[in-house]
Amino acid sequence: MESFVWEWGSLLLRWLHIVAAMAWIGSSFFFMHLDTSLKRTPDIPVGEGAAAWQVHGGGFYEMRKYFVAPEHLSPDLTWHKWQAYTTWLSGFVLLAWIYYAQSRLTLIDPAVMDLSAPAASALGVGALALGWLIYDRICRSKLGESETGLAAVGLLAITLVAFGFSQVFSGRGALIHTGALMATWMAGNVFFIIIPNQRKIIAALLKGERPDPSLGKQAKQRSAQNNYLTLPVVLMMIANHYPMLFGSKATIPLIVALVTFSGAVIRFFYNVRHADHARSPWWAWAVASAGLAAAFVLALVGSAGGRSVLGLPPQAEGPPVTTLAAATPPDHVVELVAGRCAMCHAAEPVWDGIGVAPKGVRLDTAEAIGRQAEAIRLHVVLTHNMPPNNVTEMTDEERGVIAAWLENTAR
Ligand code: HEC
């Protein structure tokens, strides 16, 4: 019963988190687009504001932006902040739900560092808080004055963060924490900088004073940072479902750097394009593709490294899936899997906290194991994603036995 409650909690939290994130990122995209598409208009003095026209849902919108503030402010102001707060709060609870409450399965990999559950959670939360403080300092420093400089330092920081996390957490734990820190920067930018600055601007206006223009500029800097972080963050959030990305501790930081870079370059393309279609920087796609191709190669190298540790010959091309899919394993493989996997992957799992076979993958009969041959290759041989953090202490020799079965079947 308890495990069903955990599963439902996880489902509902994830639902909320995804919907809130869609609303937040949607508004971030919208306002970046709006800002870049603004054109001068005769009825707003030069340098004071601009306007853009849009058509949507059968009507026309004339959007006007006042760079500092209009003379008369409407009392009906829509604030855009709860999308960000809800995304961060639901994300944090989800992180705690999956990675802190069930850390033995998800966060702690004794082969990386044998942390206790409280230590692992404290390390995760502490890193998020410290990571925000350092990031905020960097943005306020001299470096923050140059947009390109800040982007370069940001990319370096993200790479170092991924490296740090990969030294203490499981691969998926490292990726989700890297993403969570980037998301904390984004939400922190809204909560600590953008919204407070907007409040100060409004307070000055109400007093009949001219607001300090640097407040608006600082808010704009952080909002642009958020915009560039959106695509990489979303990738980090789904990355933990793709063990190829964290097959090797050594390749994690570079893979993170490459996908972050590529995601930001794709955002750059759209930001320029929205300002002026004729100037669309098509080269950005070539650069982003090159970055992603490099990440792909690294992910391959990462798992090939795993193979050589096992003493297996490098495999240029996997054997045909069809042969493997129908391959019924010999008895010693069935026994091995029963001892290392079937306590979770069975019709009625006996592992504490597992209520149904995870992801519907059952490994309790020879036939069922045969059907999962390709998945077993991916999660046990090519990567060490299963058993999760090696909770059932599968040895390298045993992985070798499974690998040999898959090889033989292929021939
Ligand atoms: C302690 C419980 C446990 C043990 C033992 C275990 N698994 Fe899993 N397995 C899980 C969980 C939990 C998931 C779901 C992971 C997720 O949601 O990303 C999973 C997922 C999988 C998947 C599907 C992955 C996907 O993303 O589609 C495969 C295949 C798999 N396990 C194979 C194995 C094999 C083979 C073994 C034994 C060598 C094994 N597992 C041992 C808990 C376990």
Side-chain angles (χ1 to χ4, degrees), residues 86-379:
T86 311
T87 305
W88 191 86
L89 289 170
S90 59
F92 184 76
V93 179
L94 189 58
L95 183 71
W97 196 270
I98 295 176
Y99 287 87
Y100 301 154
Q102 308 174 62
S103 53
R104 192 74 186 84
L105 284 184
T106 50
L107 186 59
I108 303 166
D109 183 346
V112 177
M113 192 177 275
D114 201 359
L115 295 162
S116 71
S121 315
L123 205 58
V125 177
L128 294 185
L130 187 68
W132 160 257
L133 292 175
I134 294 174
Y135 165 81
D136 187 48
R137 266 294 151 84
I138 294 176
C139 287
R140 290 170 193 271
S141 73
K142 274 242 166 290
L143 277 169
E145 285 164 22
S146 145
E147 211 174 279
T148 341
L150 195 55
V153 173
L155 184 62
L156 184 67
I158 289 166
T159 314
L160 290 175
V161 161
F163 173 78
F165 282 134
S166 67
Q167 300 303 304
V168 292
F169 292 151
S170 66
R172 58 182 288 198
L175 286 184
I176 200 76
H177 274 85
T178 307
L181 179 56
M182 289 152 85
T184 301
W185 292 349
M186 294 171 68
N189 280 337
V190 176
F191 186 77
F192 293 115
I193 308 292
I194 299 172
I195 297 292
N197 283 11
Q198 276 168 356
R199 284 195 199 289
K200 285 181 207 157
I201 291 171
I202 292 176
L205 279 177
L206 292 179
K207 277 196 272 174
E209 293 165 7
R210 194 175 159 77
D212 176 0
S214 73
L215 291 171
K217 258 182 75 184
Q218 191 193 25
K220 189 68 217 156
Q221 173 211 37
R222 300 297 180 105
S223 139
Q225 288 256 305
N226 279 7
N227 182 264
Y228 282 110
L229 283 170
T230 44
L231 295 187
V233 154
V234 171
L235 193 109
M236 280 318 141
M237 294 297 153
I238 53 179
N240 60 85
H241 301 285
Y242 295 89
M244 275 300 181
L245 292 177
F246 50 85
S248 151
K249 189 171 112 177
T251 48
I252 287 177
L254 264 182
I255 291 180
V256 166
L258 286 165
V259 298
T260 302
F261 172 74
S262 305
V265 167
I266 294 172
R267 264 327 293 163
F268 169 79
F269 170 82
Y270 282 106
N271 290 341
V272 176
R273 179 175 173 79
H274 289 156
D276 182 355
H277 273 235
R279 284 197 307 130
S280 300
W282 291 105
W283 55 264
W285 284 104
V287 173
S289 308
L292 292 177
F296 173 83
V297 171
L298 269 179
L300 275 187
V301 170
S303 51
R307 290 183 65 82
S308 67
V309 168
L310 291 170
L312 294 169
Q315 202 177 26
E317 198 119 327
V321 178
T322 43
T323 342
L324 282 176
T328 309
D331 286 349
H332 70 275
V333 169
V334 179
E335 254 167 58
L336 181 68
V337 171
R340 299 291 186 221
C341 322
M343 53 285 276
C344 298
H345 291 283
E348 286 178 37
V350 293
W351 191 271
D352 208 21
I354 304 269
V356 289
K359 294 230 161 149
V361 173
R362 277 179 56 182
L363 302 171
D364 46 358
T365 65
E367 200 214 342
I369 297 170
R371 259 189 272 123
Q372 294 293 339
E374 260 320 290
I376 294 173
R377 174 200 299 284
L378 178 62
H379 292 275

Side-chain angles (χ1 to χ4, degrees), residues 56-67:
H56 185 79
F60 297 91
Y61 297 77
E62 186 190 3
M63 328 279 291
R64 298 161 72 85
K65 174 165 181 172
Y66 299 90
F67 291 149

Side-chain angles (χ1 to χ4, degrees), residues 4-42:
F4 284 88
V5 175
W6 277 106
E7 275 298 289
W8 265 92
S10 158
L11 172 66
L12 296 182
L13 279 167
R14 199 173 291 231
W15 190 16
L16 172 64
H17 183 55
I18 290 174
V19 171
M22 282 161 62
W24 182 15
I25 293 177
S27 65
S28 165
F29 282 6
F30 177 74
F31 281 104
M32 279 304 279
H33 162 87
L34 190 59
D35 259 347
T36 52
S37 64
L38 290 168
K39 304 275 181 305
R40 269 181 54 192
T41 173

